[in-house]
């Protein structure tokens, strides 16, 4: 399979990579056997299609993409049997899509990804129509050594930030790593970015928020987690997981 290694794409011009369905700052879609290592991006990504949540479940065997909406600062969809080692985002990235993450829109079930780093900056913005994560919109794969390093404005401790947009659509769930975890494993996870996503006067808001994931479904193993971040939310808020939904 193909290999992409030692790629460093930096820009001072806030460049947005825009498409309809599966969009990444560096790679749109990964399928089959491939390896990605030592990739750094500060490109923004937008998948413009407003996908219905029930239609936006990726199928690796399908070649029909018109009903999907995935976006990530590094990769839109990591599927197949890919191996990802060391990807970094650390600039003012903006990501827009139904399932959207700072690094990935989706990490699929047979993908292994380790040493993923997001260094949160002041203007990081994620506009997820359904599920949004600081690292990945949806994770079903095997993640190890994931670090979300919080932004500090110079005062003591880390700074509460909104990051996740609720306009024009309010996402169902957002999290410090993933909006939705639908299977797989997570090991050695560290999150230090605090989120403020609601006010006492709010009459609507994101349904489910978690320090690691807004929603967890399927069979998932999570171990060795360190969350040193505060959360302010609306309906359902969990320090680790917002909502656990069994089958």
């Amino acid at each position: 399979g193909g290999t992409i290694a030692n790629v460093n794409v930096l820009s001072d011009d806030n460049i947005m990579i825009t498409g309809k369905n599966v969009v990444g700052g560096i790679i749109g879609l990964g399928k089959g056997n491939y390896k990605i290592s030592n990739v750094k991006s500060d490109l923004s990504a937008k998948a413009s299609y407003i996908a219905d949540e029930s239609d936006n479940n990726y199928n690796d065997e399908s070649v029909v993409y018109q009903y999907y909406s995935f976006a990530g600062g590094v990769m839109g969809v990591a599927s197949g049997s890919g191996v990802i080692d060391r990807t970094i985002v650390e600039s003012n990235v903006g990501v827009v899509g139904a399932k959207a993450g700072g690094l990935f829109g989706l990490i699929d079930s047979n993908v292994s990804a380790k040493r993923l780093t997001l260094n949160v900056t002041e203007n990081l913005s994620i506009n997820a129509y359904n599920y949004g994560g600081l690292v990945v919109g949806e994770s079903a794969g095997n993640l190890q050594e994931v670090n979300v390093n919080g932004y500090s404005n110079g005062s003591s401790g880390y700074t509460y930030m909104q990051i996740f947009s609720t306009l024009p659509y309010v996402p169902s769930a957002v999290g410090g790593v993933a909006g939705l975890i639908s299977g797989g494993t997570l090991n050695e996870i560290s999150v230090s970015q605090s989120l403020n996503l609601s006010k006492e006067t709010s009459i609507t808001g994101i349904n489910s928020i978690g320090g690691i994931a807004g929603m967890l479904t399927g069979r998932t193993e999570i171990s060795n987690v360190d969350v040193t971040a505060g959360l302010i939310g609306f309906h359902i808020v969990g320090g680790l997981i917002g909502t656990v939904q069994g089958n």
Side-chain angles (χ1 to χ4, degrees):
T3 297
I4 296 178
N6 304 319
V7 175
N8 190 357
V9 181
L10 304 178
S11 171
D12 295 327
D13 299 322
N14 296 320
I15 293 174
M16 173 77 76
I17 308 301
T18 302
K20 184 177 180 182
N21 300 108
V22 179
V23 184
I26 303 294
I27 302 162
L29 172 65
K31 293 173 66 75
N33 298 315
Y34 57 90
K35 183 175 181 180
I36 298 168
S37 63
N38 195 28
V39 171
K40 184 176 181 180
S41 170
D42 69 0
L43 299 180
S44 297
K46 178 179 181 179
S48 62
Y49 182 66
I50 311 299
D52 186 275
E53 187 172 333
S54 62
D55 293 332
N56 202 36
N57 296 309
Y58 184 80
N59 180 355
D60 193 41
E61 297 181 357
S62 174
V63 293
V64 179
Y65 305 111
Q66 63 186 14
Y67 301 114
Y68 293 149
S69 179
F70 295 92
V74 173
M75 196 168 186
V77 169
S79 190
S81 53
V83 176
I84 300 168
D85 182 8
R86 196 169 186 269
T87 58
I88 302 172
V89 167
E90 60 177 10
S91 191
N92 297 326
V93 168
V95 183
V96 181
K99 291 179 178 176
L103 278 73
F104 301 90
L106 167 69
I107 296 176
D108 211 359
S109 57
N110 291 320
V111 175
S112 296
K114 66 179 181 180
R115 293 195 289 178
L116 310 180
T117 300
L118 173 67
N119 295 322
V120 178
T121 54
E122 184 176 9
N123 295 319
L124 174 67
S125 173
I126 298 175
N127 189 344
Y129 311 141
N130 300 144
Y131 295 100
L134 295 182
V135 175
V136 56
E138 177 186 0
S139 179
N142 300 300
L143 278 59
Q144 184 172 358
E145 295 180 59
V146 178
N147 291 287
V148 176
N149 300 314
Y151 170 74
S152 175
N153 62 5
S155 61
S156 60
Y158 291 103
T159 305
Y160 278 86
M161 296 175 66
Q162 182 172 352
I163 298 178
F164 295 100
S165 174
T166 56
L167 294 173
Y169 300 98
V170 178
S172 299
V174 302
V177 173
L180 170 66
I181 297 176
S182 55
T185 62
L186 289 87
N187 184 33
E188 297 182 62
I189 311 297
S190 176
V191 177
S192 60
Q193 178 59 56
S194 296
L195 298 172
N196 183 352
L197 302 174
S198 184
K199 299 178 181 178
E200 290 185 7
T201 57
S202 296
I203 59 174
T204 187
I206 299 169
N207 188 57
S208 190
I209 301 166
I212 296 297
M215 179 170 288
L216 186 150
T217 64
R219 185 172 181 176
T220 306
E221 295 182 10
I222 300 175
S223 57
N224 300 316
V225 172
D226 181 20
V227 178
T228 54
L231 298 173
I232 301 173
F234 192 69
H235 289 296
I236 301 168
V237 183
L240 187 67
I241 306 295
T243 300
V244 177
Q245 182 173 304
N247 295 325

